Amino acid sequence: MTSQVRVRFAPSPTGYLHIGGLRTALYNYLYARQQGGKFILRIEDTDQSRFVEGAMENLVENLEWAGIEIDEGVTLKDGQITQVGDRGPYIQSQRLDIYKKYVDQLLDSGHAYYCFCSKDRLDKLREEQKIKGQVPRYDGLCRNIPREEAEKRIAAGEDYVIRLKLPIDEDITFHDEVRGDITINSNESDDQVLVKSDGFPTYHLAVVVDDHLMGVTHIVRGEEWLSSTPKHLILYRALGWDIPTYVHLPGVLNEDHKKLSKRQGDVSVEDFRGHGYLAKGLVNYLALVGWSPDSNQEIFDMDSLIEAFSFDRVAKTGGVFDKKKLDWVNAHHIKDLSLEDLAQLSLPYMEEAGLLKEEEAKAHWDKYLVLMKTIQDGLSRLEEIPGQVAFLFEEPSLDKEAKEVLENPCLPQIIEALRKVLEPMEELSLEEAGGLMKKVQKESGCKGKNLYMPARVALTGQVHGPELSNILYLLGKDKILSRLDQVEENLK
Ligand code: GLU
């Protein structure tokens, strides 16, 4: 019987969720769901100096926003961090006793040793190696200190770390689901520190112990960990544990094919949320950065991703994060929103732009839904909404192109006709607005481009834009008339 798939996302709580991290979490999640397995969230906080208050909450919240459900590990309940599952704790700083047990085992079996080298000595060593053009690495000075002597030095109060005793000059081969067989010689690695002088384990020790004890079957993570894998394998061997399946994912790159980094702009999931990318849009696009389906389908929801995903179609080389493509994908998902959902999502943007408060929108909700319908198909991001609806709230300002349109000799007739047909009307219903331009055509004798272009520019100041009948309805009789007056005034 094959065992149940168990995967984990294991971020360090350093402040925000990078979109590369979200993609790693997503691939783990897709695989877990597809295989009927479990998705675990473990927090790797052994580097206490990098800990950021609130980072854990932020991580979980962003994963949940993206639609990634945590089966086991760290999660949120009523806004508070909580842990679920019977293989916890899932926060590494709460597992120190567990690591100690395995470190003792490694020391006893001779796979680890105490090291007393001072920072000064290590710095000097590194300098000398650099001058000689060598790769800086620990020279193994403390490798052969007898255990008894080491323990005496510790009892006497000397500072120490515990290092992994790597085999010398051994080819370590492992299989990676994306890259195939990989061989790295042990001499390319260092005698890795497993326990730091503050008594905390390093990532390398903790990750192996936790993945084993938490029953992780597939380690799906960024390729920056590929070169560490031999050290991890040595640890698995030393502890007598089965080796999980490795899946190293290519990086997420910027358009210059460099690692996407904070210095060049948006990288955190929150940045993208703020711009008004939908969770569905971001998840859909991220899935395609570094993976491709075996069809040319590009629009996916979570369920269809779960169905289509496979490691053997993950790329070996980094995927470029293309914002234009992201916009295009996101636009699809915005088009798929119900008007009600779009309207709800738009409210914070409207409020922030100072255009409309929630209560005001709610007071004319049906009309507000028409406004949403009017702009929906032209949106790539929710942050564009205020700009798209500004025609309704702000008096039109005319650019050069708009002014040229207004030079159309039909304009005076159109203005006159609009006034005339509006005169007997009370307030415009959507249906009446729909029939209005036909009447204006009859009345003015202008049609086609000569009718619609000047009318649109006169009313909105924009040369292109949404359906004119919707604009008429949304503006309403009074605003239409006052804008006509305004145009006449401007053209005098
Ligand atoms: N804590 C590591 C990180 O933040 C996780 C590496 C791993 O998945 O093994 O990248």
Side-chain angles (χ1 to χ4, degrees), residues 76-343:
L76 279 176
K77 195 168 174 253
D78 303 326
Q80 300 294 316
I81 287 291
T82 142
Q83 299 186 46
V84 288
D86 52 13
R87 306 218 194 182
Y90 296 89
I91 299 175
Q92 288 186 329
S93 59
Q94 298 172 5
R95 298 174 61 80
L96 301 182
D97 289 349
I98 300 174
Y99 305 126
K100 188 171 181 323
K101 175 174 157 203
Y102 293 103
V103 170
D104 288 345
Q105 200 176 312
L106 290 166
L107 285 166
D108 289 346
S109 64
H111 289 100
Y113 62 93
Y114 293 108
C115 170
F116 300 93
C117 291
S118 66
K119 187 176 172 305
D120 257 13
R121 174 173 190 274
L122 295 175
D123 287 347
K124 256 192 217 130
L125 179 65
R126 202 171 306 122
E127 273 313 302
E128 283 166 17
Q129 287 169 331
K130 265 198 212 149
I131 291 165
K132 288 189 203 144
Q134 297 166 342
V135 185
R137 62 198 290 263
Y138 182 59
D139 62 356
L141 183 74
C142 296
R143 260 174 101 101
N144 298 316
I145 298 175
R147 178 87 178 261
E148 227 167 276
E149 185 189 325
E151 274 161 8
K152 268 191 205 138
R153 288 171 71 170
I154 292 167
E158 259 190 76
D159 278 345
Y160 67 94
V161 298
I162 298 173
R163 287 182 186 271
L164 171 66
K165 199 178 223 172
L166 274 182
I168 292 167
D169 194 18
E170 182 187 317
D171 277 343
I172 299 164
T173 299
F174 62 99
H175 183 77
D176 182 86
E177 289 293 300
V178 175
R179 310 211 163 202
D181 288 339
I182 294 176
T183 300
I184 301 178
N185 191 280
S186 61
N187 287 0
E188 286 176 39
S189 297
D190 228 347
D191 274 359
Q192 178 65 50
V193 173
L194 299 176
V195 179
K196 293 175 279 186
S197 54
D198 63 3
F200 270 75
T202 56
Y203 156 73
H204 301 279
L205 174 69
V207 77
V208 168
V209 170
D210 290 350
D211 284 337
H212 173 74
L213 295 181
M214 293 177 189
V216 172
T217 57
H218 293 70
I219 295 183
V220 184
R221 63 183 173 194
E223 66 183 358
E224 64 272 27
W225 301 107
L226 198 63
S227 61
S228 301
T229 305
K231 292 182 235 179
H232 301 172
L233 293 171
I234 295 296
L235 281 169
Y236 277 102
R237 184 165 82 189
L239 292 163
W241 293 340
D242 287 344
I243 290 163
T245 301
Y246 282 99
V247 187
H248 284 95
L249 306 175
V252 177
L253 308 176
N254 66 21
E255 271 146 35
D256 305 328
H257 291 250
K258 303 234 168 65
K259 214 175 154 178
L260 203 63
S261 85
K262 205 168 182 162
R263 256 168 292 132
Q264 305 131 355
D266 299 330
V267 290
S268 77
V269 172
E270 279 186 334
D271 292 336
F272 287 87
R273 284 174 74 168
H275 290 307
Y277 289 100
L278 304 180
K280 282 185 172 175
L282 190 60
V283 160
N284 182 165
Y285 177 66
L286 269 183
L288 300 173
V289 183
W291 167 82
S292 56
D294 60 6
S295 67
N296 48 19
Q297 183 177 347
E298 291 187 293
I299 301 301
F300 288 88
D301 62 9
M302 194 66 99
D303 287 344
S304 52
L305 281 174
I306 289 169
E307 200 173 306
F309 185 74
S310 68
F311 291 135
D312 59 12
R313 297 194 60 88
V314 170
K316 288 188 179 59
T317 53
V320 173
F321 191 85
D322 174 355
K323 277 213 178 122
K324 286 205 190 78
K325 188 77 189 277
L326 168 63
D327 279 1
W328 179 84
V329 170
N330 201 53
H332 269 268
H333 290 279
I334 291 182
K335 276 196 199 101
D336 273 357
L337 287 174
S338 69
L339 287 180
E340 193 66 41
D341 287 348
L342 178 60

